[in-house]
Amino acid sequence: IASSFCVDAFQPQLESIRPKLHPLKSSVHSSLATRRYVITTITNASPLLLLPQKVLAKGDSLDMTNYQAVWTNPKHPNGYRVLFGDNQKATLLLLDESSDDVERVIPAQVKVVPGQETKLIFDFGLGTNNNVEGTFTRARDGTRIISFEDGKYWINKKYEGPIGVFKDSANSNRVIVIQQVKGSDCVVQLRDGDEVTTLTAKAGNTFVFDFPDKGKVTASFNMTRRTLTFEDGTVWTKY
């Protein structure tokens, strides 16, 4: 992989933001006590490609749990949405603006009907209308989209490199979230139930992760397979 990969894969930088994990407990590496997140935005995108497409290209398929990703809300470009879960329930980590101090944790139900679009019902706690339904699908260019009845939508680009949500071959219960800070600097969350460990990573020809218990560990990213492979054989696979 070319050394320019990370620069090409990441989008222009936005203002840094410093969320706190809440209400989940966290085990945070001391160097990241005030960590920063910068989430990829969609630029110069055709509005037509941002509309949900019910008919996929021939031979294509939509994994019903492939909603697990780092999402961008065009209405809140300085924030982020991170979704992970299974085919029954999901968790949404949400931060709207860089001025927000607390990362919101929103529960969601997942409704999967084979051959149809997946529905995500978010419990935002908005009084009588606390459930908000989103539809997960793809645009024709492969961009993943969650669209809402009020016309709003979240986007996850097809080509975004290592930014996203991963599963761990060594721990099936672990959820891994990789987000960009600036340039090749990344922040990583290892989510084991209610316990969250945060560490830094440096992207390049190989990734260098700074684990609080292991120190620096390298891994190779394969864009085709969407995997990070470590020297001990552990593989993180991106959803």
Side-chain angles (χ1 to χ4, degrees):
I1 305 174
S3 59
S4 61
F5 158 70
C6 291
V7 175
D8 295 337
F10 295 147
Q11 300 300 310
Q13 304 304 309
L14 301 173
E15 179 184 357
S16 299
I17 49 183
R18 301 179 177 179
K20 300 174 183 177
L21 290 172
H22 179 80
L24 300 179
K25 295 184 295 182
S26 63
S27 174
V28 181
H29 194 23
S30 58
S31 64
L32 285 175
T34 55
R35 68 188 187 282
R36 300 175 299 164
Y37 292 100
V38 176
I39 306 306
T40 309
T41 58
I42 303 300
T43 57
N44 301 321
S46 168
L48 295 177
L49 294 180
L50 302 183
L51 297 176
Q53 303 294 332
K54 295 185 179 180
V55 180
L56 301 174
K58 185 177 181 180
D60 196 5
S61 62
L62 184 64
D63 183 344
M64 293 299 102
T65 61
N66 207 18
Y67 61 80
Q68 301 181 87
V70 176
W71 297 83
T72 297
N73 182 345
K75 296 291 186 181
H76 299 281
N78 293 329
Y80 62 80
R81 283 96 176 91
V82 177
L83 264 172
F84 55 88
D86 53 32
N87 61 359
Q88 294 183 331
K89 61 181 180 179
T91 298
L92 169 66
L93 309 180
L94 181 150
L95 196 82
D96 276 339
E97 300 296 339
S98 59
S99 58
D100 294 343
D101 291 329
V102 178
E103 177 185 74
R104 297 176 63 191
V105 181
I106 308 296
Q109 297 178 9
V110 181
K111 290 186 178 180
V112 177
V113 179
Q116 299 183 23
E117 298 160 327
T118 296
K119 302 290 185 179
L120 297 127
I121 299 92
F122 300 95
D123 184 359
F124 284 99
L126 302 176
T128 56
N129 298 318
N130 59 335
N131 290 336
V132 177
E133 183 176 282
T135 300
F136 167 56
T137 186
R138 287 189 192 273
R140 290 174 178 169
D141 67 346
T143 298
R144 289 184 284 185
I145 299 169
I146 296 176
S147 56
F148 299 90
E149 293 182 353
D150 62 2
K152 296 177 182 177
Y153 55 86
W154 303 344
I155 308 171
N156 175 266
K157 289 193 71 176
K158 182 177 180 180
Y159 302 107
E160 56 170 3
I163 298 301
V165 178
F166 291 72
K167 55 185 175 182
D168 188 347
S169 66
N171 184 347
S172 60
N173 295 320
R174 171 172 286 176
V175 175
I176 302 146
V177 180
I178 299 181
Q179 295 173 268
Q180 184 188 14
V181 176
K182 184 177 182 180
S184 61
D185 293 331
C186 300
V187 65
V188 182
Q189 287 186 16
L190 307 179
R191 308 187 72 91
D192 297 289
D194 288 345
E195 186 170 345
V196 182
T197 301
T198 304
L199 54 133
T200 58
K202 200 82 169 177
N205 288 336
T206 58
F207 272 66
V208 180
F209 295 88
D210 189 3
F211 287 88
D213 56 342
K214 301 177 183 178
K216 296 188 185 306
V217 178
T218 60
S220 299
F221 181 69
N222 186 304
M223 287 189 67
T224 303
R225 297 179 179 177
R226 299 163 62 87
T227 57
L228 277 161
T229 303
F230 293 81
E231 295 175 351
D232 65 358
T234 299
V235 178
W236 293 355
T237 303
K238 184 177 173 181
Y239 289 99

